[in-house]
Amino acid sequence: MRAYLAVLGIRDYRLLWIGLVLNLLGDGATFAAMAWITVEQAGAAGLGVLGVCLTLPVLVGGAVIGPLLDRFSRRKLFIYDSVLRGFVVACIPLLAVMGAFQMWHLYVVAAVYGLLKIIPLAGTPAVLPELVPPERLQAATGLESTAMGAASIAGPAIGAALIWLVGATNVLLLDALTYFAFAGLIMMIKAPLGRPEPKVVEPGARRQSGWSPVFRVLLRDRFLLYLTIGFALFNISAGALLVALPWLAKIEFASGPGILGLMLAVAATAELVGSVVSGAMKTSDRQMIRIGIFQMLAGASLLLLLPASLPFVLAGLILNGILTSPMTVLGGVVRLTRTPPEQRGRAMTLMRTMMSGALPLGAALGGLLLEANLYPALIVIVVVLAALPGLLTTLSFRNVDTFKLAADVQPAAVAAK
């Protein structure tokens, strides 16, 4: 806890963290509302389409936005993204008031969200070394995960309550307001958050621009390669759960949005607990072994969803959330410390795009199997995809005794702001 208080004492980081909490709070409520609108109007197949629309455009956005994060001001990119998405999300309640809302409108909004999502997703870890000193990176990374968990706890609960009070479409208005608040907080940050200084190259040497040098770093670094592929496979299972939880609430449990909010809140609470614990942990010489074990156990815990009984589902979500957060936080430290600073924006974009791009595969898989009433088969596939990479990581790094930075990769030394 002392490590968290120390990093929150850094003003610029604190502003960024508060903005993330507000923004993700609105997103948590909006996901519950979107899922409920979809399951009521389009069923399980519609949930699959929504999941794809939320996640597949991340691949396109990553290809375009990655180089922008290393070429242009990250402050401006954060602000432009927040204002634009705020206006787009606000279109849904406006169309509902006009009586013109149709399901394809929701899919378009979800696609725009997915297209631009990579800006904060990759931009936030990319700017952390500019806001906090190297010894605070693990705590800062842990607090980023904590922000996601804390917002996800309250977000679905608020969304479920507001569905009853003001209607599901109006919940999106909260999300729009949080985007505008995030833009305002970014404006208050004193650190430049500009584009990174290009690496000095020798005369006649080629500049390390574009995607080629980033792919070379990823393919040559065993740590980064295992993390990216392993987490991508894990995220296929996460994408399937995006579809499975609303389906369970509506179809299997024959209940209202309150049960969906409960499941999402329980999962997020567990992730928050895991983030709080893991962010305060010291970087270990056996970092990859830790990650592999956490991933293997997190995947295996999803077997508890197999009976499709609410107590078992909640228990599985709790265990999965507690175990998932540490592997995410520890993996984030590995990625930050082993990536050259001048490539950090592109590298974070590439790795997070590959990992997030796996979500639509899971969402599509979930929609297809649930439409065919093959829930048990879906859970078995989810468990294998989530747990197997963790087992392989554990076995592959069992003789790697030291987690160390690559010789030419050092985190940027910055003063606390």
Side-chain angles (χ1 to χ4, degrees):
M1 188 59 67
R2 189 173 299 172
Y4 286 135
L5 293 176
V7 78
L8 283 175
I10 302 172
R11 178 185 179 274
D12 283 351
Y13 178 82
R14 184 170 64 250
L15 290 172
L16 176 65
W17 188 80
I18 292 172
L20 281 173
V21 171
L22 290 174
N23 192 277
L24 293 167
L25 184 70
D27 285 351
T30 290
F31 172 73
M34 281 185 168
W36 198 253
I37 293 169
T38 304
V39 77
E40 282 196 327
Q41 299 193 20
L47 284 171
V49 174
L50 178 65
V52 170
C53 289
L54 282 169
T55 53
L56 184 59
V58 173
L59 295 174
V60 179
V64 175
I65 291 167
L68 299 183
L69 286 169
D70 284 335
R71 189 174 300 175
F72 297 103
S73 166
R74 291 161 180 174
R75 177 193 297 272
K76 291 181 179 179
L77 288 174
F78 280 150
I79 293 171
Y80 295 159
D81 163 65
S82 295
V83 172
L84 175 59
R85 282 202 283 170
F87 279 116
V88 170
V89 169
C91 288
I92 296 299
L94 178 61
L95 288 168
V97 169
M98 297 169 59
F101 172 75
Q102 299 180 32
M103 275 304 302
W104 69 268
H105 294 140
L106 192 68
Y107 296 148
V108 170
V109 170
V112 172
Y113 169 85
L115 183 66
L116 300 176
K117 174 183 178 180
I118 199 66
I119 293 179
L121 193 64
T124 298
V127 301
L128 289 185
E130 186 177 348
L131 302 180
V132 301
E135 66 271 14
R136 300 295 183 194
L137 275 179
Q138 182 144 317
T141 303
L143 273 174
E144 182 197 357
S145 296
T146 303
M148 295 180 182
S152 298
I153 293 169
I158 291 174
L162 289 177
I163 289 172
W164 293 108
L165 293 174
V166 299
T169 55
N170 288 328
V171 176
L172 277 73
L173 186 58
L174 279 178
D175 199 11
L177 294 176
T178 61
Y179 280 121
F180 300 141
F182 181 73
L185 289 167
I186 293 296
M187 292 179 185
M188 296 170 60
I189 292 177
K190 293 181 180 179
L193 299 184
R195 69 173 186 171
E197 291 295 326
K199 185 177 182 180
V200 178
V201 295
E202 306 229 352
R206 296 180 60 186
R207 287 193 173 273
Q208 299 294 299
S209 59
W211 286 107
S212 296
V214 181
F215 276 108
R216 284 197 295 271
V217 169
L218 177 60
L219 293 174
R220 293 174 182 175
D221 191 298
R222 187 181 173 197
F223 290 84
L224 297 179
L225 187 61
Y226 268 75
L227 281 178
T228 303
I229 295 175
F231 282 20
L233 292 173
F234 189 90
N235 280 353
I236 294 178
S237 68
L241 290 181
L242 287 175
V243 175
L245 295 185
W247 181 87
L248 283 170
K250 180 69 176 179
I251 306 300
E252 191 68 23
F253 302 147
S255 187
I259 292 297
L260 173 60
L262 173 64
M263 290 190 291
L264 293 173
V266 163
T269 303
E271 290 177 9
L272 175 59
V273 172
S275 296
V276 170
V277 173
S278 59
M281 294 166 59
K282 292 183 179 180
T283 302
S284 168
D285 287 342
R286 308 282 284 176
Q287 191 92 331
M288 293 299 289
I289 295 289
R290 283 183 176 183
I291 293 169
I293 292 173
F294 277 126
Q295 182 169 357
M296 182 171 52
L297 295 177
S301 68
L302 294 175
L303 280 171
L304 289 171
L305 275 65
L306 197 56
S309 169
L310 183 58
F312 281 94
V313 169
L314 294 178
L317 293 175
I318 290 171
L319 286 175
N320 181 261
I322 290 175
L323 294 165
T324 296
S325 290
M327 84 177 203
T328 303
V329 172
L330 298 177
V333 175
V334 175
R335 291 194 296 269
L336 276 176
T337 55
R338 297 187 69 86
T339 304
E342 70 278 2
Q343 297 179 13
R344 196 167 280 137
R346 283 167 291 166
M348 292 301 108
T349 300
L350 175 62
M351 288 183 279
R352 287 201 163 182
T353 296
M354 292 177 67
M355 291 183 287
S356 297
L359 290 169
L361 295 177
L365 176 67
L368 288 172
L369 292 179
L370 291 176
E371 187 71 14
N373 201 29
L374 295 174
Y375 175 78
L378 175 63
I379 297 303
V380 171
I381 293 172
V382 159
V383 169
V384 172
L385 289 174
L388 185 58
L391 175 61
L392 294 177
T393 298
T394 303
L395 294 176
S396 298
F397 286 87
R398 66 187 185 280
N399 295 322
V400 179
D401 294 328
T402 304
F403 167 72
K404 59 183 179 179
L405 308 184
D408 59 343
V409 179
Q410 297 291 331
V414 297
K417 301 245 187 334

